[in-house]
Amino acid sequence: MLETRTGSRLANLWDEARASKMSESERLLYRSNLLGSDKRITNYGGGNTSAKVMEKDPLTGEPVEVLWVKGSGGDVGTIKLDGFATLYMEKLEALKKLYRGLDHEDEMVGYLPHCTFNLNPRAASIDTPLHAYVPKKHVDHMHPDAIIAVAAASNSKELTARIFGDEIGWLPWKRPGFELGLWLEKFARENPNAAGVVLESHGLFTWADSAKECYETTIRIINRAIEWFEQETRGKAAFGGAVVDTLPAAERKAIAAQLMPAIRGMISASERKVGHFDDQDAVLEFVGSRDMEKLAALGTSCPDHFLRTKISPLVIDFDPAKPDVEKTLAGLPAALETYRQGHAAYYERCKQPDSPPMRDPNAVVYLVPGVGMITFAKDKATARISGEFYVNAINVMRGASTVSSYMGLPEKEAFGIEYWQLEEAKLQRLPKPKPLAGRVALVTGGAGGIGRATAARLLADGACVVLADIDEEALAAAEAELGKKSGSDFVRAVKLDVTDEAAVIGGFAETAVAFGGIDILVSNAGLASSAPIEETTLSLWNRNMDILATGYFLVSREAFKLFRTQKIGGNVVFIASKNGLAASPNAAAYCTAKAAEIHLARCLALEGAEAQIRVNVVNPDAVLRGSKIWTGEWKEQRAAAYKMSTDDLEEHYRSRSMLKRSVFPEDIAEAVYFFASEMSAKSTGNIINVDAGNAQSFTR
Ligand code: NAD
């Protein structure tokens, strides 16, 4: 982030004692990870690093010069050694003879695999020539906001000279590829004392003959830009100053909770989208400013930025001085349609005979004055990262427009990158999305045995999951464990009591802000109780009714409201019980409440069908392992009822079942998955018993 406060300098983190013990390739890795660990130096996945290293040729045993360069699609902050492509320098040099000129530069990418050293399977990226031909051993290519702000100013050449003198050169915008590699080589040879170049509208290249010197040069050059901006922008209002007031945090969230499901429903026709909300200070300053609309329309500049954010965001018509969310919601369909038509017109204006087909024309970034920024993408991590990239773009616009005028890329150039065949090939190579990718599920009782196993199952197939539970400690443990396994982007925890109407409404609002909406509700929070009817107190009866019947009603009602806002269907799965179908002695309150759940599911299946909302039931029985129900009184009461020790209960239930098998939380989760996924697209109002067979609970 481009910070203009004192103390915003990048620290030199190089530890020579450590680095001196490393091999040259390990030092490249060390340098890359250090650079990528600070997002002010380069954004996620942006930029690349390289080293030209002498290696032993496996074919001849002779020493040979090898280019180690970040491979296609990696991130320098988290890259490991196997993330680098390795190529023979001699062969890369030989490619110059094959180069037929600018009109044919894309074909050069096809030759790169022929230059592979040591059968390394990591694909070389299109940026490889930008490193290969610079006549220095080490090259860094970074996307620091402070430098892109220089690169995106209308007088960027002049600014570069003013800030860096002869140390850093300047090259006009050129799409990364073979030609740019040759330009960089020419510049470096003609300016042997230069330490790098600013590439217009793009970023920074720096080089040196040792890894340490290269790292220190990169840091020093970025720091100089940060310092220069500090001096130049001191006391100047960014973006023409504020024109609207920022709403308080709780109101911002409440508005996002209403807008996000509505937008999500309108842009999820071809694939489900997941949302992200960001109201950090940099965003609020921009969305409240006089120049926001004008600057946003100019589009992001750095190719890395607009590949993630689309060239321009959609500014939502909302006046924080007179908040009228209903009016904004009513205007959304037309605003989104205008954006889509704008993208289609841009595609038609710029397309070439060999351009790939138009992609999803919907906006990625939505700016809401006084409220913040909403981003949508095919999964949560991509939505979050797209937001981070737009914050980079905001920082760039702030810097460039304060010291000069900000300049986007010419439309044709931007199109050339966005619909570049090599970019398309990269997209085509991406793995097929998982079956629940882009889906959002809320699991009540998500910190319990069956709830946790269900969340894990849905996460494994790509869903985002909100765990809702009353048990705060178990909730935190479940969130940490599942987040570690599936990625923290995918899991959120909300503490709520399903019997508390306001808390349930709040929990669904939190879900809408966390992920943009909801597709799947698993109503599972529960308890078990046992008492003969004469000893069943009113409070025990009410407790069962409150949690099981009323709780299931409350969460279903809120899910239905969100489903109806989104208008893209919905899916409800109730975890009821064998006891909802089969009467059991000494458990009238529990059995009756479970029967109410099952009938509620049938009623909701009927009501939801016309809106493609499906409602189904899974009935577990005797799931002892992992269940908190089976650690308390219930277990003792059941053991006493059967006149056996608690240790013998699992075996008792196993041998009582028709299939003579124990039932585990994972077995219940599998049935939930079936109902929650498209595998059961044509089923609603149904029941699956997962009880290892029990004739009493056969459905009729
Ligand atoms: P569990 O106790 O491990 O999990 C239930 C979870 O619900 C707990 O984390 C608990 O904190 C939460 N919860 C309780 N009251 C809540 C409330 N008011 N608001 C929010 N959360 C609340 O039990 P489990 O075995 O995983 O049970 C899950 C569901 O399966 C329950 O509905 C239960 O009745 C049903 N079921 C379980 C079995 C079994 O043998 N385990 C059999 C039939 C039905």
Side-chain angles (χ1 to χ4, degrees):
M1 206 191 285
L2 168 57
E3 294 187 23
T4 49
R5 296 186 305 271
T6 330
S8 61
R9 305 292 187 286
L10 306 173
N12 181 348
L13 302 174
W14 191 268
D15 179 351
E16 184 56 20
R18 247 182 95 188
S20 63
K21 296 196 192 81
M22 296 174 180
S23 69
E24 201 59 88
S25 49
E26 286 166 346
R27 261 194 296 276
L28 167 65
L29 176 66
Y30 175 58
R31 178 175 108 225
S32 309
N33 292 164
L34 280 187
L35 291 169
S37 67
D38 191 330
K39 294 287 169 277
R40 291 172 299 173
I41 299 176
T42 202
N43 42 6
Y44 177 82
N48 26 57
T49 47
S50 69
K52 300 178 182 83
V53 181
M54 294 309 289
E55 303 275 1
K56 190 166 133 189
D57 190 333
L59 290 177
T60 63
E62 297 296 315
V64 60
E65 190 174 33
V66 172
L67 176 73
W68 284 68
V69 59
K70 187 191 94 171
S72 182
D75 168 56
V76 286
T78 49
I79 195 172
K80 304 214 166 46
L81 264 187
D82 67 0
F84 289 92
T86 48
L87 305 100
Y88 286 98
M89 271 305 294
E90 200 185 339
K91 293 193 183 186
L92 287 168
E93 281 295 334
L95 292 186
K96 288 180 185 165
K97 284 195 237 99
L98 292 175
Y99 182 46
R100 297 195 290 151
L102 200 52
D103 289 344
H104 306 277
E105 77 166 348
D106 285 3
E107 74 186 17
M108 301 310 288
V109 176
Y111 291 120
L112 293 177
H114 293 280
C115 304
T116 303
F117 170 78
N118 203 19
L119 304 178
N120 182 349
R122 177 64 56 189
S125 88
I126 44 186
D127 282 2
T128 301
L130 318 185
H131 292 260
Y133 301 137
V134 172
K136 293 281 174 181
K137 296 281 180 217
H138 299 266
V139 179
D140 287 337
H141 166 42
M142 298 287 120
H143 295 159
D145 290 350
I147 298 285
I148 306 178
V150 177
S154 55
N155 57 342
S156 88
K157 185 175 183 181
E158 185 208 320
L159 285 186
T160 305
R162 214 190 305 163
I163 303 169
F164 302 109
D166 291 340
E167 193 178 5
I168 296 291
W170 180 90
L171 289 176
W173 159 258
K174 165 73 51 201
R175 192 168 78 174
F178 207 81
E179 185 75 15
L180 181 58
L182 298 180
W183 283 18
L184 285 162
E185 177 182 18
K186 183 166 183 285
F187 173 86
R189 290 200 190 282
E190 288 173 358
N191 300 275
N193 295 325
V197 293
V198 166
L199 176 60
E200 186 185 27
S201 294
H202 189 143
L204 176 69
F205 288 86
T206 33
W207 47 67
D209 274 327
S210 81
K212 177 170 185 273
E213 195 196 330
C214 192
Y215 170 79
E216 289 177 346
T217 303
T218 305
I219 298 291
R220 181 165 46 79
I221 296 300
I222 300 172
N223 270 339
R224 197 178 310 161
I226 292 175
E227 269 163 40
W228 185 84
F229 272 106
E230 265 178 26
Q231 283 161 15
E232 290 294 312
T233 58
R234 193 164 293 143
K236 290 185 191 162
F239 310 125
V243 283
V244 296
D245 285 337
T246 295
L247 293 175
E251 277 177 54
R252 300 200 294 268
K253 244 183 155 182
I255 289 164
Q258 291 178 74
L259 296 180
M260 290 176 78
I263 296 172
R264 180 170 190 254
M266 289 176 215
I267 61 172
S268 291
S270 60
E271 82 182 343
R272 287 291 154 108
K273 300 286 195 318
V274 181
H276 184 74
F277 177 61
D278 189 337
D279 59 354
Q280 60 176 285
D281 290 349
V283 169
L284 291 172
E285 180 188 37
F286 184 60
V287 298
S289 71
R290 187 195 69 191
D291 295 344
M292 181 261 282
E293 292 223 42
K294 194 181 78 193
L295 286 167
L298 289 177
T300 52
S301 143
C302 177
D304 249 35
H305 295 179
F306 64 72
L307 278 173
R308 298 275 191 166
T309 62
K310 283 226 167 66
I311 294 174
S312 51
L314 193 160
V315 179
I316 302 258
D317 182 16
F318 177 77
D319 180 0
K322 291 185 240 98
D324 186 349
V325 181
E326 289 308 320
K327 183 171 156 244
T328 301
L329 287 170
L332 279 180
L336 268 60
E337 182 51 28
T338 305
Y339 187 95
R340 282 192 285 264
Q341 283 173 5
H343 186 87
Y346 150 77
Y347 179 84
E348 288 302 321
R349 276 196 305 278
C350 301
K351 76 173 180 201
Q352 301 294 317
D354 57 353
S355 293
M358 188 176 83
R359 301 196 194 105
D360 183 352
N362 287 297
V364 173
V365 180
Y366 302 78
L367 301 176
V368 193
V371 173
M373 169 177 68
I374 297 163
T375 45
F376 276 102
K378 64 184 167 56
D379 60 52
K380 178 67 186 180
T382 311
R384 175 181 55 75
I385 293 166
S386 302
E388 286 172 7
F389 273 75
Y390 201 74
V391 173
N392 289 125
I394 289 173
N395 289 330
V396 167
M397 289 187 275
R398 185 197 302 110
S401 66
T402 312
V403 300
S404 168
S405 53
Y406 169 76
M407 196 180 67
L409 261 189
E411 182 175 86
K412 284 245 178 238
E413 288 298 325
F415 183 89
I417 294 267
E418 192 175 356
Y419 282 96
W420 194 358
Q421 281 191 332
L422 297 175
E423 197 56 45
E424 177 70 11
K426 228 177 178 179
L427 294 177
Q428 297 300 338
R429 279 200 301 271
L430 290 176
K432 218 170 138 251
K434 292 180 179 170
L436 295 183
R439 310 270 157 162
V440 180
L442 183 141
V443 183
T444 70
I450 291 173
R452 208 159 154 155
T454 298
R457 181 66 186 88
L458 300 177
L459 283 163
D461 263 18
C464 297
V465 175
V466 176
L467 306 165
D469 205 293
I470 199 169
D471 182 340
E472 205 162 2
E473 212 175 295
L475 199 51
E479 185 186 21
E481 182 204 297
L482 293 170
K484 198 165 164 213
K485 203 160 152 216
S486 307
S488 54
D489 273 315
F490 288 82
V491 191
R492 289 286 176 282
V494 177
K495 183 180 178 258
L496 66 80
D497 180 346
V498 294
T499 68
D500 178 341
E501 184 176 20
V504 170
I505 293 171
F508 277 83
E510 275 194 52
T511 303
V513 178
F515 293 121
I518 189 172
D519 303 287
I520 301 160
L521 164 68
V522 183
S523 184
N524 157 79
L527 77 168
S529 75
S530 168
I533 187 67
E534 310 85 316
E535 290 166 27
T536 300
T537 60
L538 180 58
S539 93
L540 185 68
W541 175 267
N542 284 342
R543 212 166 118 69
N544 277 277
M545 289 299 163
D546 284 350
I547 298 176
L548 301 175
T550 310
Y552 278 48
F553 146 68
L554 284 175
V555 294
S556 302
R557 190 185 64 183
E558 293 316 302
F560 262 61
K561 285 185 196 162
L562 271 183
F563 293 155
R564 293 208 191 273
T565 301
Q566 295 176 147
K567 301 192 183 77
I568 46 175
N571 202 315
V572 178
V573 184
F574 278 6
I575 307 299
S577 171
K578 176 211 83 178
N579 295 57
L581 294 173
S584 274
N586 300 338
Y590 177 73
C591 293
T592 311
K594 284 291 177 188
E597 283 177 9
I598 294 173
H599 206 60
L600 174 62
R602 294 188 185 108
C603 296
L604 299 185
L606 201 61
E607 264 188 62
E610 48 76 33
Q612 296 299 315
I613 301 170
R614 299 192 288 119
V615 185
N616 292 288
V617 177
V618 176
N619 283 335
D621 186 36
V623 184
L624 277 69
R625 273 189 222 172
S627 168
K628 284 189 272 171
I629 290 176
W630 287 95
T631 54
E633 276 184 347
W634 170 259
K635 191 173 190 178
E636 277 159 28
Q637 287 159 350
R638 291 288 99 189
Y642 297 120
K643 300 189 174 39
M644 59 179 60
S645 95
T646 51
D647 292 343
D648 297 331
L649 266 183
E650 186 168 329
E651 177 53 22
H652 164 76
Y653 284 114
R654 191 192 67 75
S655 56
R656 189 185 75 174
S657 73
M658 288 162 50
L659 297 170
K660 308 281 177 240
R661 301 184 72 173
S662 294
V663 184
F664 303 121
E666 293 70 28
D667 301 321
I668 312 302
E670 209 56 57
V672 177
Y673 175 78
F674 174 70
F675 277 143
S677 71
E678 288 302 296
M679 288 171 84
S680 63
K682 296 170 190 173
S683 278
T684 191
N686 268 316
I687 297 174
I688 297 183
N689 292 328
V690 186
D691 56 4
N694 186 318
Q696 248 195 317
S697 53
F698 283 178
T699 50
R700 337 192 141 74

